[in-house]
Amino acid sequence: MTRNKMTIAISVLLLALMAGPANGADQPVYGSQLMTNQERIEHRNKLRAAKTAEEREQVRLEHHEQMQLRAKERGVTLPDTPPQQGGGMGRRMAPGGGMGPGGGMGGGMGPGPNR
């Protein structure tokens, strides 16, 4: 494998690792501050085991109700609505976002005329 192909392969692998799971099951858990670590693990396992988006939504809604009851019992306030489920990557950039051509490091052909 040439050096260039190796660099590309490593870059693709690193990007894939940074992206994380695509199913959204590792997103923050609603009411996690009221749960034990074992309860969070079990909840995520239920989400992963759900076969359809509808099943996952049902698991989330039931969990939301349980956390609302637990919060009320403990005198804690949680948001009324569960967090919106989405792409799993957090903030999204607008189309065309980013540095654009020439905005990143590298890609130049030497020190330039001022050196």
Side-chain angles (χ1 to χ4, degrees):
M1 188 179 277
T2 67
R3 185 180 183 108
N4 194 27
K5 287 182 181 178
M6 179 68 86
T7 302
I8 292 171
I10 290 171
S11 298
V12 169
L13 177 63
L14 289 173
L15 286 172
L17 290 173
M18 289 185 335
N23 67 2
D26 285 335
Q27 292 181 353
V29 176
Y30 177 77
S32 63
Q33 66 271 33
L34 303 174
M35 301 169 69
T36 65
N37 191 44
Q38 184 62 37
E39 287 174 323
R40 284 189 290 277
I41 291 169
E42 290 171 5
H43 175 66
R44 286 189 175 117
N45 287 340
K46 282 183 186 178
L47 288 172
R48 286 185 187 110
K51 292 178 175 48
T52 65
E54 290 79 18
E55 287 178 16
R56 277 188 295 280
E57 187 60 25
Q58 186 61 39
V59 169
R60 285 187 191 103
L61 290 174
E62 289 171 4
H63 174 74
H64 176 76
E65 291 173 7
Q66 292 171 348
M67 290 301 103
Q68 285 288 323
L69 289 172
R70 189 175 291 185
K72 189 174 183 178
E73 290 170 357
R74 295 182 185 183
V76 177
T77 303
L78 290 176
D80 287 332
T81 57
Q84 222 175 355
Q85 300 301 313
M89 287 296 293
R91 291 179 34 205
R92 294 186 181 215
M93 297 179 73
M99 290 187 192
M105 297 176 63
M109 296 302 291
N114 296 330
R115 298 219 174 179

